[in-house]
Amino acid sequence: MNAVRTGALLLLPVLSLLLLGAHFFRASFVPLTVACLGLLALLFVRTRWAQLTLQVALALGALEWLRTAWAFASVRAQSGQPYGRLLVILGAVASLTALAAWVLRTRAAREHFRSLR
């Protein structure tokens, strides 16, 4: 697989991890922010365990975005504020993160993470 295709493939997980890290940083969860940045390094570790770790982290990240959407929308609904746009935006971010986890299951990703023995 050529370098441009690999870079394009990994762009979605990079973006998702950066957004998740920014989310945790804004919530003052510095250890989780550091974990997201550390997970970025796993994109360069070409082993099966790195691929699986990234998939699990991104799947959990998508669930975190859904949890956040629920929590924020609940607060806004209770205070009588509109929350539709919030749900659309956070739903899109959750979908992007889930898509990033799925991208790591593709054949091209398996080739990238194939162990170099």
Side-chain angles (χ1 to χ4, degrees):
M1 182 164 63
N2 65 23
V4 173
R5 187 171 172 205
T6 301
L9 171 80
L10 298 179
L11 189 59
L12 194 55
V14 167
L15 177 61
S16 296
L17 287 169
L18 288 174
L19 284 172
L20 200 56
H23 166 68
F24 289 134
F25 184 74
R26 187 178 187 293
S28 298
F29 294 141
V30 176
L32 291 175
T33 303
V34 172
C36 286
L37 294 176
L39 286 167
L40 286 171
L42 285 184
L43 291 167
F44 301 100
V45 177
R46 299 183 67 176
T47 60
R48 177 82 172 129
W49 68 265
Q51 180 185 18
L52 290 174
T53 302
L54 285 164
Q55 285 175 338
V56 168
L58 288 167
L60 290 173
L63 292 175
E64 167 60 17
W65 285 118
L66 293 175
R67 186 204 64 79
T68 301
W70 179 271
F72 286 0
S74 295
V75 170
R76 292 188 126 220
Q78 287 175 355
S79 65
Q81 296 178 328
Y83 56 89
R85 184 173 46 184
L86 177 139
L87 288 176
V88 168
I89 292 169
L90 289 179
V93 174
S95 298
L96 176 86
T97 306
L99 182 63
W102 177 80
V103 160
L104 293 175
R105 294 183 52 89
T106 62
R107 185 174 142 228
R110 284 192 305 269
E111 288 176 11
H112 170 74
F113 285 103
R114 183 177 51 216
S115 184
L116 302 174
R117 294 181 193 194

